[in-house]
């Protein structure tokens, strides 16, 4: 495997490099099916426990596998587990697949499951929230494990779909038994290498430039649908360059396509646009825990601790206008942190807040800020659909009520390093998107809403919103097996969050893929490109 340092290429240079590489590859091997794939940002790490970010985890899922997986419609299916049962409320028995090998040739056994669970709880891990759902993982025999939980946990298999299994022997051999800390950029071997059980293995990694995957000949599933032999993935930040690469034929799949280009591309021969609602909510959070904001001209106190200020910010923003002007009508405005497709969603608590500029000004005055104040908004510019444009629109709307936004839009690697807990939550206000891996509302409560007061909870609650009554409801939701009772509890919890004005919820974003018309690909609602489902001519 070749590992090179990142190269800084201009958009034009990258497009030319893409074209040249595609031409040389096709000439070198006419029979080999090579898929050229571009995304707006790079994979942040090859360590499957370093970052709980869906694109990074989705990419890694072509090399690594979990005990439980998803099909193209997010239906739960066996992966490294062949079957499982829940014989007691707090116990799961998992039967492992036999005959599975890691890419280095070592066998997959119960020891690797136990090791992977323990690794997910190490300091650098961003997957603690999932690992912490088990109190113990015990080996019954080489191909059977028992998972114990503190309370009944009926959706454990769904929650663990992105908890990938790693080789204990490979990790020990390469001194990578601890998860990579992405904030500090530690020289962890797993950050730049992989050893999964998946259908593809990494053969070349140039961060920021190119990652090459090859089919793993020893893959356990001989009925695999894909006929792709090689994948050349390249991050292309510039929207126009990404679209140009698709139009020129240099790219087979690009994500995302700007919604403003849909009509043009739909009328272009040889190209198809795949779009459907994603199960991801886009929202803005506030620092609600520091006595003084890190990035504001207000000194000696934190305005966001006052519910009136949070309400004013939310009422100043018109989500329907953002949908029409920025998202071209393709998004679905939300008043909650879960998308319409998530288990537990109810329109009664999902309706958007109604904008009211006059009331927003009144609330700010009552809170002691008649002239508003200044605050920095952290925003990624290569992670979500039109992310920076959304932040610019929000800043413009807040200006109308006297709030001056200092917008800091950065590539997602810098953004996450700044706002993640590992980086100290160095933010006063931030844009984030969340797609629950379990496709269930409880995942959102655990990660975004729960007080970050114990390991595994509130991992992405960067603003430290905290309501103990909501946390008590979450505990009941996590253990409730009656769906009707569970939904009632979910509604009650999210109504509390809504009434607290805990987050500025914006919309459910659309999926937006540009694909060559000759290629068959399944568009999963979580925006994951699973190469198992890609078929080339």
């Amino acid at each position: 495997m070749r590992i090179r340092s990142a190269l800084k290429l201009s958009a034009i240079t990258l497009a030319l490099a893409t074209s040249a590489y595609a031409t040389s590859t096709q000439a070198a091997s006419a029979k080999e099916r090579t898929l050229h794939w571009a995304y707006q940002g790079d994979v942040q790490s090859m360590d499957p426990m370093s970052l709980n970010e869906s694109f990074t985890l989705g990419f890694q899922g072509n090399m690594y596998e979990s005990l439980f997986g998803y099909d193209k419609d997010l239906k739960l299916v066996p992966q490294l587990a062949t079957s499982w049962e829940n014989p007691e409320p707090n116990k799961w028995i998992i039967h492992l697949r036999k005959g599975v090998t890691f890419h280095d040739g070592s066998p997959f056994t119960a020891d690797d499951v136990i090791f992977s669970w323990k690794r997910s709880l190490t300091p650098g891990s961003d997957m603690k929230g999932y690992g912490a759902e088990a109190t113990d993982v015990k080996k019954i025999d080489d191909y059977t494990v028992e998972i114990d939980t503190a309370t009944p946990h009926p959706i454990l298999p769904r929650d663990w779909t992105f908890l990938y299994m790693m080789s204990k022997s490979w990790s020990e051999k390469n001194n990578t038994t601890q998860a990579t800390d992405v904030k500090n950029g530690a020289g962890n071997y797993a950050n730049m290498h992989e050893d999964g059980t998946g259908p593809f293995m990494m053969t070349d990694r140039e961060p920021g430039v190119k990652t090459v995957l090859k089919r793993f000949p020893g893959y356990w599933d001989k009925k695999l649908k894909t006929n792709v032999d090689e994948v050349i993935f390249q991050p292309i930040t510039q929207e126009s360059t990404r679209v140009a690469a698709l139009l020129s034929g240099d790219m087979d799949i690009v994500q995302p396509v700007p919604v403003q280009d849909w009509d043009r591309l739909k009328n272009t021969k040889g190209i198809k646009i795949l779009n459907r609602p994603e199960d991801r909510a886009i929202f803005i959070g506030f620092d609600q825990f520091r006595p003084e904001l890190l990035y504001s001209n207000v000194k000696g106190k934190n305005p966001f601790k006052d519910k009136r200020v949070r309400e004013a910010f939310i009422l100043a923003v018109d989500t329907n206008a953002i949908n029409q002007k920025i998202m071209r009508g393709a998004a679905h405005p939300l008043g909650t942190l879960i998308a319409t497709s998530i288990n537990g969603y109810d329109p009664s608590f999902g309706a958007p807040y109604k904008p009211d500029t006059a009331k927003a000004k009144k609330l700010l005055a009552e809170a002691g800020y008649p002239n508003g104040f200044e605050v920095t908004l952290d925003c990624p510019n290569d992670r979500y659909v039109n992310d920076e444009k959304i932040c610019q629109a929000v800043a413009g709307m807040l200006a109308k009520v006297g709030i001056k936004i200092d917008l800091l839009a950065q590539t997602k690697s810098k953004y996450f390093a700044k706002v993640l807990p590992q980086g100290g939550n160095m933010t006063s206000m931030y844009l984030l998107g969340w797609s629950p891996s379990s496709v269930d509302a409880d995942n959102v409560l655990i990660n975004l809403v729960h007080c970050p007061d114990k390991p595994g909870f509130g991992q992405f609650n960067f603003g430290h919103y905290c309501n103990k009554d909501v946390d008590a409801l979450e505990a009941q939701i996590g253990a409730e097996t009656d769906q009707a009772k569970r939904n009632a509890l979910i509604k009650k919890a999210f109504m509390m969050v809504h009434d607290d004005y805990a987050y500025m919820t914006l919309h459910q974003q659309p999926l937006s893929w540009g694909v060559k018309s000759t290629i068959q690909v399944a568009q999963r609602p979580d925006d994951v490109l699973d190469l198992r489902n890609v078929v080339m001519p």
Side-chain angles (χ1 to χ4, degrees):
M1 183 186 298
R2 294 181 292 136
I3 306 295
R4 303 176 189 158
S5 60
L7 301 177
K8 294 182 179 179
L9 297 178
S10 68
I12 295 175
T13 303
L14 182 53
L16 291 173
T18 301
S19 178
Y21 191 89
T23 302
S24 63
T25 300
Q26 291 162 3
S29 180
K31 293 182 180 180
E32 187 175 72
R33 290 182 175 88
T34 298
L35 181 79
H36 294 269
W37 168 27
Y39 187 73
Q40 63 180 345
D42 198 10
V43 187
Q44 295 305 294
S45 172
M46 289 301 135
D47 188 328
M49 296 174 186
S50 66
L51 184 63
N52 187 6
E53 187 243 345
S54 58
F55 176 73
T56 293
L57 289 170
F59 187 96
Q60 293 167 346
N62 294 297
M63 301 175 293
Y64 284 99
E65 295 178 303
S66 177
L67 300 174
F68 324 97
Y70 283 138
D71 69 5
K72 61 182 179 63
D73 299 311
L74 297 188
K75 176 185 176 182
L76 194 67
V77 295
Q79 205 163 69
L80 292 179
T82 55
S83 62
W84 51 90
E85 57 255 13
N86 191 194
E88 298 175 20
N90 296 14
K91 179 185 295 185
W92 287 85
I93 302 297
I94 313 297
H95 303 281
L96 306 181
R97 192 176 298 280
K98 298 178 181 179
V100 176
T101 60
F102 288 95
H103 296 161
D104 69 349
S106 60
F108 166 70
T109 69
D111 293 331
D112 301 303
V113 177
I114 296 169
F115 166 78
S116 298
W117 168 66
K118 289 181 178 178
R119 192 179 188 274
S120 74
L121 300 173
T122 57
S125 172
D126 208 25
M127 305 301 285
K128 294 185 187 73
Y130 303 103
E133 293 173 354
T135 56
D136 197 9
V137 179
K138 294 179 283 193
K139 177 179 177 179
I140 296 177
D141 59 43
D142 281 348
Y143 295 100
T144 314
V145 295
E146 175 187 315
I147 300 176
D148 297 330
T149 58
T151 60
H153 192 41
I155 63 166
L156 177 75
R158 281 193 169 273
D159 269 351
W160 277 26
T161 49
F162 285 110
L163 189 61
Y164 295 131
M165 297 295 105
M166 297 182 68
S167 166
K168 181 176 183 289
S169 61
W170 179 83
S171 298
E172 291 175 343
K173 175 184 176 182
N174 293 292
N175 193 30
T176 186
T177 57
Q178 301 275 314
T180 305
D181 186 335
V182 293
K183 187 258 178 184
N184 293 320
N188 195 322
Y189 191 80
N191 189 44
M192 292 291 287
H193 303 79
E194 64 82 18
D195 184 39
T197 61
F200 290 87
M201 51 187 180
M202 186 173 70
T203 59
D204 192 5
R205 170 72 172 157
E206 298 176 55
V209 180
K210 179 181 65 177
T211 303
V212 180
L213 307 180
K214 294 273 192 180
R215 280 287 286 273
F216 173 44
Y219 187 56
W220 58 266
D221 187 356
K222 304 307 178 185
K223 297 180 180 179
L224 201 61
K225 181 180 180 181
T226 187
N227 63 354
V228 176
D229 300 299
E230 180 186 49
V231 179
I232 299 176
F233 168 79
Q234 293 176 269
I236 302 180
T237 303
Q238 293 292 328
E239 293 178 345
S240 58
T241 307
R242 206 160 56 244
V243 171
L246 178 65
L247 288 169
S248 68
D250 290 334
M251 285 293 157
D252 300 306
I253 299 176
V254 300
Q255 299 172 261
V257 168
V259 293
Q260 56 267 28
D261 287 334
W262 280 4
D263 290 340
R264 175 166 66 108
L265 292 173
K266 284 177 180 177
N267 294 320
T268 300
K269 185 178 180 180
I271 292 175
K272 56 186 175 183
I273 294 295
L274 300 182
N275 65 284
R276 63 186 294 186
E278 187 179 356
D279 61 6
R280 183 184 308 279
I282 304 296
F283 53 88
I284 287 175
F286 313 102
D287 175 349
Q288 299 176 50
F289 74 102
R290 288 186 175 91
E292 178 180 304
L293 293 177
L294 294 175
Y295 310 104
S296 173
N297 66 341
V298 178
K299 302 303 176 184
K301 59 181 177 178
N302 180 345
F304 291 137
K305 284 180 174 285
D306 191 325
K307 188 169 97 169
R308 293 171 299 182
V309 173
R310 301 195 302 271
E311 182 180 0
F313 269 59
I314 290 167
L315 296 183
V317 173
D318 188 338
T319 55
N320 281 306
I322 289 175
N323 181 34
Q324 294 303 318
K325 295 179 181 179
I326 306 300
M327 303 303 293
R328 305 298 176 99
H332 178 84
L334 288 172
T336 187
L337 291 166
I338 57 175
T340 57
S341 54
I342 301 304
N343 184 42
Y345 173 86
D346 188 313
S348 64
F349 67 77
Y353 296 91
K354 293 183 179 179
D356 189 331
T357 302
K359 186 176 180 180
K361 290 180 178 178
K362 181 181 178 183
L363 286 166
L364 286 171
E366 290 176 357
Y369 308 99
N371 299 315
F373 59 89
E374 298 177 15
V375 64
T376 296
L377 170 60
D378 288 298
C379 183
N381 59 17
D382 60 353
R383 178 61 191 93
Y384 311 112
V385 178
N386 288 336
D387 42 16
E388 185 174 3
K389 292 184 177 69
I390 292 168
C391 289
Q392 291 169 345
V394 168
M397 292 173 180
L398 287 171
K400 295 179 180 179
V401 299
I403 300 298
K404 181 180 178 182
I405 293 293
D406 178 15
L407 178 57
L408 178 59
Q410 302 183 89
T411 180
K412 63 180 181 178
S413 59
K414 294 181 179 179
Y415 166 81
F416 281 117
K418 184 174 188 281
V419 304
L420 278 171
Q422 298 97 310
N425 291 142
M426 304 297 287
T427 182
S428 297
M429 187 176 173
Y430 57 93
L431 179 86
L432 194 66
W434 191 259
S435 173
S437 59
S438 63
V439 200
D440 188 271
D442 189 44
N443 173 283
V444 177
L445 292 172
I446 289 172
N447 286 283
L448 300 179
V449 176
H450 200 289
C451 303
D453 54 1
K454 56 183 179 179
F457 289 84
Q459 282 280 100
F460 283 76
N461 183 359
F462 300 153
H464 290 213
Y465 164 74
C466 189
N467 184 325
K468 289 296 185 180
D469 291 334
V470 176
D471 291 357
L473 284 169
E474 186 285 316
Q476 296 179 58
I477 291 164
E480 182 57 65
T481 57
D482 183 293
Q483 193 59 53
K485 292 180 180 179
R486 195 170 185 271
N487 285 345
L489 293 169
I490 288 171
K491 179 177 179 178
K492 187 176 181 180
F494 277 99
M495 284 304 299
M496 286 184 180
V497 176
H498 181 279
D499 294 344
D500 280 343
Y501 297 92
Y503 286 92
M504 181 192 293
T505 51
L506 298 173
H507 57 249
Q508 174 179 350
Q509 79 174 13
L511 293 174
S512 182
W513 298 8
V515 183
K516 282 184 180 178
S517 57
T518 55
I519 293 176
Q520 299 176 38
V521 57
Q523 187 178 43
R524 276 177 35 172
D526 59 355
D527 201 27
V528 167
L529 175 56
D530 187 343
L531 297 171
R532 296 167 182 80
N533 298 317
V534 178
V535 178
M536 300 185 70

